[in-house]
Amino acid sequence: MLSVDRPNFCAKAAYLLCVSSASNPGLKRRLTNVAQRIADVADEYAACAMAGQLHDLPTSHDVSGVVSKEEMVAVYEDRMVPLRSPGRRIYDTIIGLPKGGICPFCAHGLVSTLDHVMPKAHFCELAVTPDNLVGACRDCNDSKGATAPTSPEEVPVHPYFDEVSGKRWLDARVVEDGVAAVVFRVVAVDAWDDNLNKRIKHQFDVLNLGRLYALQAATEISGLAPKMAGIYNKLGTEAVQRELLELRDSWARLGVNRWQAATFRALAGSEWYCAGGFRCE
């Protein structure tokens, strides 16, 4: 879960740009007439997101009884996503915000789409609101689905409004039995309120990050085994631990909650692994 710079777009201007190409005069008039409502909802969204209270945002299945949900979804799908659409510049800018093209939700996959933090199926007024659009990998976008939060702990950790990368909440431990493996869990951060800790745990579970990280760690551990064996045979247990700590520190510079940093932290702390656990088959 990584922080991302908030997009620098006015919600009303972005919406008006998207609807500017509507060729049907009646539709264009109706879409234009609700622009202020779109702006007002965007402001309410930002206030709720800053407070971690997006579950309090009322759902919307039309815009002021003037524009239908289907028409609002079409504004996104037909007037922001296509390459030659008027809103594509906004789409491209937002999808390029996550650093290194890494999905901010899982901190692993590559960004390939825009995710609606609050799903457009339930919040159609937010279909093209820049603050509600975040570059994400396909897996996270699919896992989040169209479920709307109904309680504080279900509110997604928002890459634009929630800073959760400064404290360590991802923990790992080595399974010291047979082939070395690492399992992951979320640990509460005392400096944060209970609700934020619960939101991180909920998102970790919804996105099935424990399984994703464990699978990635298994591959890393397997590839690391020959190197660890060579160090151990030449220099012993302490040298293995030093190497693992260096790897931990290197990855931690990219983020203390990267699964790689957690993996090497756990391996370095396992006497069993450092003393030869990497050679188990």
Side-chain angles (χ1 to χ4, degrees), residues 1 37 67 82 101 110 167 170 178 185-186 263:
M1 301 174 197
R37 171 62 183 171
V67 176
L110 295 178
K167 302 287 185 180
L170 182 64
R185 64 172 185 150
V186 170
T263 296

Side-chain angles (χ1 to χ4, degrees), residues 149-221:
T150 59
S151 61
E153 60 267 23
E154 293 179 358
V155 173
V157 177
H158 203 306
Y160 300 151
F161 297 96
D162 294 309
E163 171 53 70
V164 299
S165 58
K167 302 287 185 180
R168 185 163 69 86
W169 51 261
L170 182 64
D171 188 44
R173 70 174 179 83
V174 179
V175 179
E176 299 176 348
D177 182 22
V179 177
V182 174
V183 294
F184 296 83
R185 64 172 185 150
V186 170
V187 293
V189 176
D190 292 339
W192 294 342
D193 62 62
D194 190 49
N195 182 50
L196 181 56
N197 283 310
K198 287 181 178 178
R199 289 169 61 202
I200 293 174
K201 176 64 166 60
H202 181 262
Q203 190 154 309
F204 183 86
D205 293 340
V206 167
L207 300 182
N208 205 10
L209 297 186
R211 181 176 183 275
L212 171 65
Y213 295 166
L215 290 173
Q216 298 302 317
T219 301
E220 186 73 22
I221 291 170

Side-chain angles (χ1 to χ4, degrees), residues 232-252:
Y232 179 80
N233 291 336
K234 290 182 180 179
L235 302 171
T237 299
E238 291 185 2
V240 170
Q241 186 179 52
R242 284 196 299 271
E243 176 69 18
L244 292 169
L245 289 173
E246 289 180 5
L247 289 168
R248 176 204 64 184
D249 293 343
S250 180
W251 277 104

Side-chain angles (χ1 to χ4, degrees), residues 112-123:
S112 60
T113 187
L114 287 187
D115 175 74
H116 287 77
V117 177
M118 299 298 276
K120 60 185 180 296
H122 301 288
F123 301 88

Side-chain angles (χ1 to χ4, degrees), residues 9 33 39-40 47 52 57 61 73 79-81 84 88 102 160 162 171 193 209 242 261 266 269:
F9 291 108
N33 285 345
D40 292 342
L57 201 66
H61 299 288
V73 170
R79 306 181 190 281
M80 179 176 270
V81 177
R84 297 184 182 278
R88 181 68 191 203
I102 301 299
Y160 300 151
D162 294 309
D171 188 44
D193 62 62
L209 297 186
R242 284 196 299 271

